[in-house]
Amino acid sequence: MSLLVKGFAAKAVGQPLEPFTYESAQLGEQEVRVSITHCGVCYTDIQGMEDHYGIVTFPFVPGHEIVGTVSEVGRAVSGLKEGDRVGIGWQGRSCMHCEYCLRGEEQLCVDIGNCGTWEPYGGFAASVVVDGRFAYPLPAGMPSEVAAVLMCAGISVYSPLRAYAAKGSPKVAVAGVGGLGHLALQFAHAFGCEVTAISSSPGKKKQALKFGADHFILADEDSLRQVRLNYDLLLYTSHGKSDWTSLLYSLKTNGRLAVVGFPDDQVMFDPLELVVHQFSMTGSFIGSRAGMQEMLAFAQAHGIAPKLELMPMSQANEAVLKVSQNRARYRIVLVNDLVPV
Ligand SMILES: [Zn+2]
Ligand SMILES: [Zn+2]
């Protein structure tokens, strides 16, 4: 039985969102339908609307920070039942048999371009269909809007901090105090790190310290020169242009620069410094299924929560505009006012 689902879609590259109804196919054996209550707006949704990655099809329904209630369950799904509250992030499925999937790094699946929750249609809608193994039961007591943001922004910063900063109380710097960065400051603080926030906005100092930063510095050449050879890990969460050389030199010898998010920039630096200081540069992409569950439990235990504002889903366009103009403080979550299915 097919179902008509209402949502909001961009009909072509660079077009605004407009009401859109699509016919949802019958569930696959491993799939669940989730009736959406909340969906966060991520910068990646906006880059998707611009087809920045070349992987989306139009009409494109964005949305991949989803919380909702399981409303239909495929025959082979285990561990989920109708009525369960779940969260869903950017990844909604994977091949489950490539070498990465087999060792529990599903986010690195060789077919990752076809694994998005956006496929065929994302979370700015009444419901979404994903593989049930990528729908995560949420801790009781965690507000749905909080969980929504953790599903992408949360896991994206948790994974590299867990991998490179969770042991030995290292000195960590977080470049960018925005949607990702303000969560990174909270996670790094909870991991026991000495945390520095690096931002180009002096006005963000007070809040950065509230989020868990021990220090705040401006992202200019002079300020960065004063913290030369200082950090074990620098987590880059911004999506603008940056002085990569100064950022890199702020690392200690053997230090690591981890990039999350997708900066519209070319990374430039002198390889000599990379070699003599044995710097590492790492990308980090969302997280695994196991990492997602661990992150949710950790966030709940440590009271980690995004600072956000709620908007009705019918104002998805206004929300997208606000995020694209960097006016969200620090995240927007759409509350569904569409008829649930
Ligand atoms: Zn995202
Ligand atoms: Zn795979």
Side-chain angles (χ1 to χ4, degrees):
M1 188 189 76
S2 66
L3 191 71
L4 288 180
V5 178
K6 286 188 189 310
F8 295 92
K11 296 273 167 69
V13 180
Q15 293 297 304
L17 298 170
E18 46 185 289
F20 173 65
T21 302
Y22 66 88
E23 197 170 320
S24 178
Q26 200 172 351
L27 289 193
E29 287 202 332
Q30 287 286 359
E31 288 182 327
V32 292
R33 182 183 307 283
V34 173
S35 181
I36 296 168
T37 58
H38 297 76
C39 188
V41 182
C42 181
Y43 192 70
T44 312
D45 291 314
I46 290 152
Q47 290 183 323
M49 288 169 71
E50 292 159 359
D51 202 18
H52 190 79
Y53 315 109
I55 59 165
V56 305
T57 48
F58 291 88
F60 169 59
V61 177
H64 59 275
E65 287 187 342
I66 299 168
V67 169
T69 309
V70 175
S71 58
E72 200 183 336
V73 182
R75 280 193 303 145
V77 172
S78 64
L80 289 177
K81 59 179 188 317
E82 248 179 76
D84 286 351
R85 188 177 70 129
V86 293
I88 299 163
W90 185 87
Q91 186 167 16
R93 55 190 59 82
S94 83
C95 84
M96 289 290 182
H97 54 72
C98 74
E99 63 174 295
Y100 304 100
C101 285
L102 288 177
R103 63 171 184 245
E105 294 182 302
E106 301 88 359
Q107 79 278 20
L108 306 178
C109 178
V110 294
D111 194 29
I112 192 66
N114 292 313
C115 293
T117 295
W118 288 333
E119 285 292 325
Y121 301 110
F124 291 5
S127 70
V128 70
V129 172
V130 294
D131 186 312
R133 292 167 289 193
F134 291 85
Y136 305 93
L138 298 173
M142 179 181 276
S144 292
E145 62 272 22
V146 166
V149 176
L150 293 176
M151 300 316 295
C152 181
I155 190 66
S156 297
V157 297
Y158 177 82
S159 298
L161 288 169
R162 174 76 169 79
Y164 309 119
K167 286 188 205 125
S169 26
K171 288 173 85 172
V172 171
V174 175
V177 182
L180 294 171
H182 88 294
L183 281 171
L185 295 173
Q186 296 180 51
F187 277 116
H189 176 75
F191 278 128
C193 308
E194 183 182 335
V195 190
T196 300
I198 302 176
S199 170
S200 50
S201 317
K204 285 189 174 170
K205 177 174 179 178
K206 203 169 143 196
Q207 277 197 317
L209 298 179
K210 260 196 200 152
F211 293 137
D214 301 291
H215 318 281
F216 178 92
I217 62 166
L218 283 171
D220 59 54
E221 211 181 323
D222 278 353
S223 308
L224 287 168
R225 192 178 300 126
Q226 287 170 35
V227 290
R228 213 182 136 95
L229 297 172
N230 204 36
Y231 306 118
D232 297 290
L233 175 73
L234 192 154
L235 189 63
Y236 185 88
T237 70
S238 185
H239 49 70
K241 295 202 183 301
S242 288
D243 178 355
W244 290 97
T245 304
S246 299
L247 288 175
L248 195 70
Y249 294 175
S250 76
L251 292 173
K252 274 185 195 168
T253 291
N254 277 333
R256 181 185 296 269
L257 171 64
V259 180
V260 296
F262 302 101
D264 293 324
D265 205 358
Q266 301 287 322
V267 179
M268 313 269 265
F269 55 87
D270 179 354
L272 177 83
E273 297 281 344
L274 188 75
V275 173
V276 298
H277 292 295
Q278 296 196 170
F279 295 141
S280 300
M281 295 185 73
T282 310
S284 182
F285 180 54
I286 50 175
S288 65
R289 292 192 299 142
M292 199 70 114
Q293 284 155 356
E294 190 188 284
M295 178 276 299
L296 284 168
F298 186 90
Q300 178 75 344
H302 292 270
I304 289 168
K307 189 168 166 52
L308 55 88
E309 64 180 290
L310 299 173
M311 290 176 73
M313 193 174 287
S314 51
Q315 289 178 20
N317 254 328
E318 288 83 342
V320 159
L321 200 64
K322 211 164 169 180
V323 172
S324 65
Q325 294 171 344
N326 205 14
R327 287 189 289 120
R329 291 291 177 273
Y330 283 81
R331 215 64 181 175
I332 294 176
V333 174
L334 301 173
V335 180
N336 215 340
D337 52 353
L338 295 165
V339 179
V341 284

